[in-house]
Amino acid sequence: MPIVAGREYRQMITPLTAANQQSQKRLNSDYYVEGFATTFDTPYLMYEVDGVKYYEVIDRHALDEADLSDVIFQYNHAGMVYARNKMAKNKPPSLLLEAQESGFFVAADLGLTTDAKRIFEGIDSGLIHKMSWAFVVAPGGDSYDAATHTRRIFKIKKVYDVSAVSFPANDDTDITARSFFDGVIEKEKRETLARKAKILALKLNLEV
């Protein structure tokens, strides 16, 4: 999966699913899929290091001012574009993005190409059921609570794409998020070692 520096990639919280026949008829689409990119105000586990769990939560209003002007639907964040929320050649958008109360809803009409049929069949059969979305956090758009080891993202600058993926983004490929938490983890380790050194020095002084 291609990774672009500066963008953060997250596995979607709920599985990508193919619409039932009733939805397909209503949307006049043979190859329609939907899911949620993320939930809002619900912490999810990002990493666990040395028994310490690090969480992240997307604020309910994180997308209020985000640039959603041109978002595409791909496979593995690369190659062919199957759907887009921007009109092209007087055709209506084929990708719906909506910040709902429970989360960021995504629905896509994959089109009528042979490739669209192939990826839809993979989703419909359950062979492809994971998704990832790519975004950039606005400067100063996040905070970290050391007591709960939780990063809160409260302002996203831009969403680039939503993709069906063979394997979702993980610790090794999610460069930006990993660098954020690596910095946090190292800082907390240094602070813990410093506290232990002070306690040891205090004990030694008391024993003298």
Side-chain angles (χ1 to χ4, degrees):
M1 178 172 62
I3 299 298
V4 179
R7 298 182 190 178
E8 302 197 28
Y9 299 80
R10 297 290 184 279
Q11 177 184 332
M12 288 192 169
I13 303 301
T14 56
L16 174 66
T17 60
N20 56 37
Q21 291 183 352
Q22 183 176 353
S23 296
Q24 290 172 356
K25 290 178 181 178
R26 184 177 70 250
L27 294 162
N28 193 29
S29 171
D30 292 327
Y31 306 128
Y32 169 88
V33 296
E34 64 182 30
F36 279 86
T38 187
T39 54
F40 292 137
D41 295 327
T42 302
Y44 49 84
L45 181 65
M46 286 290 290
Y47 309 107
E48 183 171 354
V49 180
D50 297 333
V52 179
K53 294 181 178 180
Y54 294 85
Y55 296 91
E56 185 175 80
V57 57
I58 305 293
D59 188 89
R60 171 66 182 82
H61 298 286
L63 289 161
D64 286 358
E65 299 178 17
D67 181 358
L68 303 174
S69 61
D70 191 8
V71 181
I72 59 177
F73 185 105
Q74 293 182 293
Y75 179 63
N76 281 340
H77 296 285
M80 182 174 178
V81 176
Y82 293 94
R84 198 172 206 136
N85 72 331
K86 185 178 181 179
M87 289 185 64
K89 295 182 179 180
N90 297 321
K91 293 183 178 180
S94 52
L95 179 64
L96 170 68
L97 304 170
E98 187 176 87
Q100 299 181 353
E101 190 64 31
S102 58
F104 188 32
F105 178 72
V106 175
D109 174 3
L110 302 180
L112 296 172
T113 66
T114 301
D115 285 338
K117 182 176 184 293
R118 186 180 298 114
I119 191 172
F120 178 85
E121 288 176 346
I123 294 167
D124 193 34
S125 67
L127 291 175
I128 300 172
H129 63 278
K130 296 293 186 181
M131 287 195 74
S132 174
W133 63 307
F135 61 90
V136 169
V137 177
D142 59 352
S143 61
Y144 181 71
D145 186 338
T148 60
H149 306 289
T150 302
R151 180 194 188 191
R152 173 173 285 270
I153 296 177
F154 52 84
K155 189 173 184 180
I156 290 175
K157 181 180 180 181
K158 181 175 177 59
V159 177
Y160 288 91
D161 74 84
V162 291
S163 290
V165 292
S166 302
F167 296 96
N170 56 41
D171 295 7
D172 296 325
T173 59
D174 191 358
I175 299 170
T176 304
R178 185 65 195 182
S179 64
F180 173 88
F181 279 98
D182 275 345
V184 167
I185 292 167
E186 288 304 315
K187 179 174 181 291
E188 292 186 351
K189 283 183 177 180
R190 289 195 300 270
E191 290 173 348
T192 299
L193 289 173
R195 284 196 298 271
K196 287 181 178 179
K198 287 182 179 180
I199 292 172
L200 179 59
L202 180 60
K203 286 182 176 180
L204 290 173
N205 287 333
L206 291 175
E207 291 174 357
V208 174

